[in-house]
Amino acid sequence: MDQEKRKPDMAATPDIAYIEWDDACADAGWEITEKTDIHHVATVGFIVAEDKKAITIAVCWAGPESNSRIHIPKGWIKKMKRFKLDKLLGRKKPSKPKAQKQKEENSNNGLGTKSLRNLPFPGPM
């Protein structure tokens, strides 16, 4: 496997989510149906996809790939909390370098020259 290709871009780490939701329950076989059954579930993981209808949580993430995903319909979600991984780990985002002022070139061997921009010149000759 090409190791260079598999390195995740940690600067683009997706948010982490804690989700409480009600899951469907299925069974098979001939039994007396006495009651309906759903399961209250808690899930924690990386938010790797989301739209208006559902959210996808992954246990493992190595951008842009993920593994052990679950797709949860938003209508089934009872409680959800999002977290920024950088904030949880106390990592600071790299700051953008500040623009430096350009120094005016001076080619007169140390003799200072004044800028002529602010001098009042007469109009066109």
Side-chain angles (χ1 to χ4, degrees):
M1 226 180 253
D2 184 5
Q3 292 298 326
E4 289 298 314
K5 194 175 186 182
R6 303 285 297 161
K7 287 184 181 177
D9 177 10
M10 295 310 286
T13 305
D15 288 351
I16 303 292
Y18 168 81
I19 301 173
E20 291 181 10
W21 56 288
D22 288 336
D23 194 5
C25 180
D27 56 28
W30 291 98
E31 296 178 11
I32 297 173
T33 305
E34 296 178 3
K35 64 175 187 160
T36 60
D37 198 13
I38 59 171
H39 294 274
H40 192 69
V41 181
T43 299
V44 177
F46 294 100
I47 301 173
V48 294
E50 183 175 12
D51 62 21
K52 291 179 181 178
K53 294 181 180 181
I55 188 166
T56 302
I57 304 297
V59 173
C60 301
W61 172 83
E65 296 177 351
S66 60
N67 195 353
S68 301
R69 290 171 301 280
I70 186 164
H71 311 278
I72 304 170
K74 286 194 172 176
W76 294 10
I77 295 174
K78 303 302 176 195
K79 178 180 179 181
M80 183 165 109
K81 178 76 176 165
R82 293 173 187 259
F83 303 93
K84 298 282 185 194
L85 184 59
D86 289 335
K87 188 173 181 180
L88 286 173
L89 297 176
R91 292 192 293 200
K92 293 183 180 179
K93 290 185 179 180
S95 59
K96 294 181 182 178
K98 293 181 180 179
Q100 294 181 355
K101 273 188 172 179
Q102 282 188 329
K103 294 182 179 179
E104 291 184 25
E105 269 191 44
N106 191 349
S107 60
N108 59 3
N109 296 329
L111 299 174
T113 58
K114 293 183 179 179
S115 173
L116 300 176
R117 292 183 190 153
N118 296 331
L119 296 176
F121 284 103
M125 293 188 194

